[in-house]
């Protein structure tokens, strides 16, 4: 069915001059569909590579199949044959497919290590099977190999009929660094110790990083080697399934941070040169190398690559019950220059020879597949370019994502905190930066993610307090630097959560102002885990102020979620840059911010839009949240019409505070 191009043009009239480009987007998608799909087949049928390729148990033995078109010969080796590289040759079938059948149900056993041997131009290449579902590193030889595992063995799922909540409140997390001890944490420990924390904090979605196997731990999981293997560092596939099943039991949606934008360049454990050639999966030459990341770039124009990547998405949904994906590095995919150094100041930058139309088509196919498998699935694009139509339905000429990340918001806060004195914070800029987004496209708002916590950068709380966090976070004892930091941390998060998206994201620990940065164990730090963990004992300690930040975040999430406030567009705004005041309403709720570092205002007029009785339901200045209890949470404010036809009431606005009122009558 041709796309309803007129819809996207109505939504965004600035696209009218680029109507031909939008039409081309739809035509290329339709052409690729016809090319890929046989008659009476759909995209879900097509994306089943993992059911054919890889290692599978049969009724009377085992079968292993691999696509390696440039290989001259292939052999199968491992524990089962004493690592003999010639005793088990594979048969060459059509289209570069190799196959071997090993008779006997016990010919291979779960836990045995195996490799593929590829002969290319007289050279013997040791390779990890491309569809391997478990990959481990030998602790002695450091050689990477696959382990036999029946990923689709029966698992006692109890999540049938699970449906994600409409508005995602996302807790971005990393399994390995989720514990307090200086080591790699496990799926089991996360299920037991961290999921209850997330549920108690009020978040309804987890976005898990670094699941797809990666040889370098410090890559944060963004240099993937084995796309079908959940990282063995954290445990087994069964333990990951239990984590997801338990999350669903607790009403928590589970998203996979999927990396289809690039792959690790390693050859011994990854896809690169699997059959002896770069071009099997990736572009050749400079186009196949990411200059900034040092990784390999997929050739999205190649049907076999599309088959591999689309099958990968279906696999994670079917085998592990993931509810959707956050697509990493979408900007890098969309443009031949990967968006490096581009400001994207005009629409012509989105529709030019720099645009990788093959990548656009892949992303459309990916969204089509995901939502056909699960209509309630959630897809999120990490795109800093602002590509028009990213979150518009494919049928209307869009790319089909549900949300895009509000990637400019963390930059706004970093720039403001680093470069501006408190007295010069630009309230009007805050409003327009936080509310500005493409029409009818949903965003996930966030003040900071894992990106802002990495070594070399700083979290918001650490920027605000810095070294004072080491000495001033005791609950009893005044510290003006920490007081300021705690006040602004709460205000920034409430303003961001309530304005910058139709969903909200937080990286684990940031809700309570986790100190310091994240630094993975590496040679430069003596392979230390000191900065690669989460210090939950800080927020658990009632004598430390981390508890106050955590409690405020919990109350904020509860209010925004229970009242569906992210679904509602703000209106009746009042901004005053000199006073540092920002006020806006969302239905029966009024949000009031006083960013002034010194001035509190007596009898400040608060416009609310209509007559009624209002009461404070959340105050950042509440004593239990580390404030000074200057906001009267018991008083009822009566909004009346003014001579100038405004509705509102006079109210005390303490400095560096924010509060939310609700119309109660």
């Amino acid at each position: 069915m041709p796309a309803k191009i007129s819809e996207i043009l109505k939504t965004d009239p600035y696209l009218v001059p680029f109507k031909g480009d939008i039409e081309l987007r739809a035509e290329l998608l339709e052409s690729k569909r016809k090319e890929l799909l046989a008659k009476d087949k759909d995209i879900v049928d097509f994306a089943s590579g993992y059911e054919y390729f890889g290692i599978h148990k049969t009724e009377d033995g085992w079968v292993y199949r691999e696509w390696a078109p440039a290989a001259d010969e292939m052999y199968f080796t491992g524990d089962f044959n004493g690592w003999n590289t010639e005793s088990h040759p594979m048969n060459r079938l059509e289209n570069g497919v190799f196959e071997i059948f090993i008779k006997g149900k016990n010919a291979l056993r779960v836990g045995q290590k195996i490799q593929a041997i590829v002969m290319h131009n007289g050279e013997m290449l040791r390779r990890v099977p491309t569809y391997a579902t478990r990959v481990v590193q030998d602790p002695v030889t450091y050689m990477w190999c696959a382990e036999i595992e029946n990923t689709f063995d029966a698992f006692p799922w109890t999540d049938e009929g699970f449906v994600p909540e409409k508005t995602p409140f996302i807790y971005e997390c990393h399994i390995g660094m989720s514990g307090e001890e200086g080591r790699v944490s496990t799926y089991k420990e996360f299920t037991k110790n961290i999921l209850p924390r997330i549920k108690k904090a009020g978040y309804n979605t987890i976005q898990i990083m670094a699941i797809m196997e990666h040889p370098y731990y410090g890559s944060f999981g963004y240099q993937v080697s084995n796309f079908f293997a959940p990282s063995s560092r954290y445990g087994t596939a069964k333990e990951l399934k239990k984590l997801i099943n338990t999350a669903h039991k607790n009403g928590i949606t589970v998203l996979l941070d999927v990396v289809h934008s690039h792959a690790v360049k390693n050859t011994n454990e990854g896809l690169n040169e699997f059959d002896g050639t770069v071009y099997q999966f990736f572009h050749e030459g400079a186009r196949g190398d990411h200059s900034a990341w040092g990784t390999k770039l997929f050739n999205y124009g190649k049907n076999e690559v599309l088959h591999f990547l689309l099958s990968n998405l279906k696999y994670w949904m079917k085998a592990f019950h993931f509810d959707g994906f956050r697509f990493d590095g979408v900007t890098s995919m969309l443009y031949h220059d990967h968006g490096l150094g581009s400001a994207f100041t005009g629409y012509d930058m989105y529709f030019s020879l720099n645009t990788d139309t093959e990548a656009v088509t892949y992303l459309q196919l990916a969204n089509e597949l995901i939502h056909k498998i699960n209509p309630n699935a959630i897809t999120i694009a990490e795109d800093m370019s602002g590509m028009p139509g990213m979150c518009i339905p494919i049928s209307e000429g869009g790319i089909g994502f549900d949300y895009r990340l509000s990637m400019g918001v963390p930059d706004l806060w970093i720039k403001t905190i680093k470069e501006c004195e408190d007295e010069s914070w630009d309230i009007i800029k805050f409003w327009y930066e936080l509310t500005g987004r493409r029409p009818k496209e949903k965003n996930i708002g966030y003040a900071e993610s894992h990106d802002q916590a990495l070594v070399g950068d700083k979290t918001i709380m650490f920027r605000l307090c810095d070294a004072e966090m080491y000495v001033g976070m005791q609950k009893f004892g005044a510290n003006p630097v920490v007081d300021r930091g705690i006040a602004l941390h709460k205000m920034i998060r409430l303003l961001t959560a309530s304005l910058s998206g139709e969903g909200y994201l937080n990286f684990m620990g940031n809700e309570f102002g986790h100190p310091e940065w994240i630094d993975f164990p590496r040679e430069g730090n003596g392979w230390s885990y000191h900065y690669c963990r989460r210090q939950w004992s800080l927020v658990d300690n009632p004598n430390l102020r981390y508890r106050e930040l955590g409690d405020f975040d919990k109350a904020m999430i509860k209010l925004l979620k229970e009242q569906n406030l992210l679904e509602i567009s703000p209106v009746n705004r009042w901004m005053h840059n000199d006073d540092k005041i920002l006020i806006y309403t969302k239905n029966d709720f009024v949000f009031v911010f006083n960013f002034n570092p010194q001035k509190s205002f007596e009898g400040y007029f608060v416009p609310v839009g209509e007559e009624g009785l209002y009461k404070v339901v959340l105050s950042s200045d509440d004593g239990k949240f580390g404030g000074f209890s200057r906001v009267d949470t018991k008083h009822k404010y009566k909004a009346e019409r003014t001579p100038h036809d405004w509705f509102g009431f006079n109210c005390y606005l303490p400095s560096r505070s924010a509060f939310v009122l609700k119309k109660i009558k």
Side-chain angles (χ1 to χ4, degrees):
M1 178 182 293
K4 304 170 186 174
I5 302 300
S6 59
E7 294 300 319
I8 195 172
L9 301 182
K10 288 178 187 175
T11 299
D12 187 353
Y14 288 103
L15 284 173
V16 172
F18 304 96
K19 179 183 177 183
D21 296 277
I22 300 295
E23 289 175 336
L24 177 63
R25 179 189 286 179
E27 290 166 6
L28 291 173
L29 173 62
E30 189 60 28
S31 174
K32 183 57 71 173
R33 273 205 204 104
K34 291 177 180 177
E35 198 175 310
L36 297 177
L37 307 181
K39 189 178 181 181
D40 300 326
K41 297 290 183 180
D42 66 12
I43 194 72
V44 179
D45 299 316
F46 173 75
S48 300
Y50 61 88
E51 295 176 1
Y52 179 77
F53 292 110
I55 302 163
H56 299 279
K57 195 171 186 178
T58 66
E59 289 185 3
D60 54 350
W62 295 77
V63 64
Y64 168 45
R65 298 188 189 93
E66 195 69 72
W67 175 65
D72 300 317
E73 299 173 82
M74 280 195 69
Y75 298 85
F76 192 37
T77 187
D79 291 340
F80 71 95
N81 69 355
W83 293 96
N84 188 314
T85 59
E86 297 180 349
S87 64
H88 286 71
M90 298 177 69
N91 298 315
R92 187 180 190 110
L93 308 180
E94 294 180 350
N95 302 317
V97 176
F98 288 81
E99 176 187 78
I100 185 171
F101 176 73
I102 303 177
K103 193 171 183 179
K105 291 183 178 180
N106 296 318
L108 298 177
R109 296 188 305 277
V110 171
Q112 284 185 323
K113 295 179 174 60
I114 56 93
Q115 280 188 336
I117 300 296
V118 176
M119 300 301 298
H120 176 74
N121 291 343
E123 185 180 0
M124 187 184 82
L125 309 173
R126 288 187 174 272
R127 296 291 186 254
V128 175
T130 58
Y131 282 81
T133 56
R134 181 171 174 81
V135 178
V136 297
Q137 186 177 29
D138 186 278
V140 178
T141 65
Y142 297 107
M143 179 174 69
W144 288 81
C145 43
E147 268 189 2
I148 302 295
E149 181 176 68
N150 282 332
T151 304
F152 279 94
D153 274 359
F155 178 83
W157 292 102
T158 60
D159 61 352
E160 185 177 357
F162 174 79
V163 177
E165 289 187 24
K166 187 176 180 183
T167 301
F169 287 85
I170 302 171
Y171 203 79
E172 185 185 37
C173 46
H174 183 287
I175 302 295
M177 60 176 291
S178 63
E180 187 145 359
E181 294 181 38
R183 59 176 175 81
V184 177
S185 291
T186 67
Y187 298 124
K188 275 185 175 180
E189 291 166 331
F190 188 92
T191 304
K192 179 183 177 182
N193 303 324
I194 310 305
L195 277 180
R197 287 184 179 274
I198 295 169
K199 181 176 175 62
K200 188 176 179 181
Y203 290 86
N204 60 19
T205 304
I206 55 175
Q207 178 180 298
I208 315 181
M209 311 169 61
I211 290 295
M212 303 162 81
E213 191 60 86
H214 47 290
Y216 180 47
Y217 189 47
S219 75
F220 232 138
Y222 290 123
Q223 293 187 7
V224 175
S225 53
N226 313 101
F227 285 74
F228 289 82
S231 181
S232 60
R233 288 182 179 87
Y234 319 131
T236 66
K238 185 175 181 180
E239 289 162 353
L240 174 57
K241 290 177 183 178
K242 185 175 181 181
L243 187 162
I244 295 169
N245 196 50
T246 305
H248 287 164
K249 186 177 180 180
N250 285 277
I252 297 173
T253 301
V254 187
L255 305 180
L256 174 66
D257 197 341
V258 70
V259 187
H260 282 183
S261 47
H262 60 136
V264 72
K265 64 182 178 182
N266 305 31
T267 55
N268 289 335
E269 56 264 34
L271 296 177
N272 192 24
E273 297 183 32
F274 180 87
D275 69 352
T277 66
V278 170
Y279 58 79
Q280 182 183 5
F281 286 98
F282 309 112
H283 289 291
E284 283 195 288
R287 190 178 176 189
D289 295 313
H290 198 295
S291 59
W293 297 343
T295 49
K296 301 302 294 182
L297 299 172
F298 287 106
N299 182 350
Y300 303 108
K302 199 168 183 177
N303 291 349
E304 293 87 352
V305 173
L306 295 180
H307 185 237
F308 180 84
L309 294 175
L310 292 171
S311 296
N312 189 234
L313 297 173
K314 181 179 173 182
Y315 166 80
W316 289 110
M317 296 181 77
K318 290 292 189 179
F320 291 92
H321 290 203
F322 278 98
D323 302 298
F325 304 91
R326 177 263 200 190
F327 278 72
D328 175 68
V330 169
T331 305
S332 176
M333 300 171 71
L334 291 174
Y335 309 99
H336 294 302
D337 67 359
H338 316 302
L340 298 174
S342 296
F344 295 97
T345 53
Y347 273 54
D348 58 321
M349 299 184 74
Y350 301 117
F351 305 103
S352 69
L353 294 177
N354 186 39
T355 304
D356 189 335
T357 56
E358 293 171 343
V360 173
T361 298
Y362 166 65
L363 292 171
Q364 290 176 300
L365 289 169
N367 277 293
E368 181 180 332
L369 169 72
I370 293 163
H371 292 105
K372 277 197 173 182
I373 294 172
N374 179 4
N376 296 306
I378 297 171
T379 59
I380 304 170
E382 189 211 24
D383 171 38
M384 63 182 294
S385 76
M387 168 64 81
M390 182 67 70
C391 303
I392 295 291
I394 296 168
S395 62
E396 297 176 11
I399 298 177
F401 281 93
D402 297 296
Y403 299 89
R404 72 191 327 148
L405 291 174
S406 295
M407 296 188 70
V409 175
D411 294 338
L412 167 70
W413 292 124
I414 290 170
K415 188 175 179 66
T416 298
I417 295 169
K418 279 180 64 176
E419 301 177 6
C420 302
E421 298 293 331
D422 292 10
E423 292 81 4
S424 60
W425 282 24
D426 192 336
I427 303 303
I428 295 173
K429 183 177 182 180
F430 290 172
W431 171 267
Y432 286 106
E433 290 283 346
L434 292 171
T435 59
R437 42 191 176 270
R438 298 210 175 280
K440 294 189 178 179
E441 298 199 40
K442 293 183 177 181
N443 281 38
I444 299 292
Y446 62 108
E448 52 187 342
S449 68
H450 71 275
D451 284 328
Q452 287 71 46
L454 290 169
V455 66
D457 208 335
K458 292 181 181 179
T459 63
I460 286 175
M461 190 59 182
F462 208 43
R463 284 189 184 280
L464 290 168
C465 298
D466 224 325
E468 291 298 316
M469 290 191 75
Y470 297 119
V471 295
M473 290 299 284
Q474 292 290 335
K475 202 167 186 179
F476 305 102
N479 186 310
V481 174
V482 171
D483 286 342
R484 168 185 176 266
I486 285 177
L488 290 175
H489 189 272
K490 291 178 290 186
M491 294 180 72
I492 287 169
R493 295 176 81 78
L494 178 60
L495 187 63
T496 301
S498 62
L499 281 186
S500 66
E502 291 71 28
Y504 178 67
L505 178 143
N506 163 71
F507 179 68
M508 63 177 184
N510 284 0
E511 73 278 9
F512 63 82
H514 198 287
E516 301 174 318
W517 46 80
I518 299 167
D519 189 12
F520 283 84
R522 55 187 172 84
E523 187 175 3
N525 63 18
W527 302 103
S528 171
Y529 285 87
H530 180 74
Y531 297 108
C532 196
R533 60 197 177 104
R534 295 286 90 178
Q535 299 180 61
W536 303 108
S537 58
L538 297 176
V539 72
D540 291 341
N541 189 334
N543 296 316
L544 295 179
R545 304 193 69 179
Y546 298 100
R547 170 75 68 87
E548 297 168 341
L549 292 178
D551 286 346
F552 175 78
D553 194 79
K554 190 185 305 179
M556 177 186 79
I557 296 296
K558 185 175 188 292
L559 175 67
L560 296 175
K561 186 167 66 170
E562 289 184 354
Q563 301 300 327
N564 296 317
L565 290 173
L566 301 197
E567 305 266 324
I568 304 164
S569 297
V571 294
N572 301 313
R573 67 184 184 274
W574 170 262
M575 295 177 282
H576 199 293
N577 235 356
D578 291 337
D579 291 345
K580 304 303 174 196
I581 302 293
L582 174 58
I583 303 170
Y584 51 91
T585 62
K586 287 194 166 196
N587 284 0
D588 289 338
F589 292 84
V590 186
F591 291 76
V592 182
F593 293 82
N594 179 7
F595 278 97
N596 201 303
Q598 298 169 337
K599 290 183 182 178
S600 297
F601 297 93
E602 285 280 3
Y604 203 95
F605 182 74
V606 176
V608 297
E610 61 182 10
E611 292 178 314
L613 212 56
Y614 292 79
K615 186 176 184 295
V616 174
V617 291
L618 178 68
S619 169
S620 72
D621 198 54
D622 200 308
K624 64 184 177 182
F625 301 140
F628 300 99
S629 298
R630 294 169 295 171
V631 175
D632 191 342
T633 57
K634 295 181 180 179
H635 184 74
K636 296 180 179 63
Y637 298 90
K638 187 176 182 181
E640 298 179 314
R641 186 191 296 269
T642 71
H644 300 287
D645 280 340
W646 286 70
F647 294 98
F649 48 82
N650 294 322
C651 185
Y652 178 58
L653 309 187
S655 61
R656 280 201 190 115
S657 70
F659 54 92
V660 184
L661 303 107
K662 181 183 180 183
K663 183 181 178 185
I664 57 176
K665 191 175 179 181

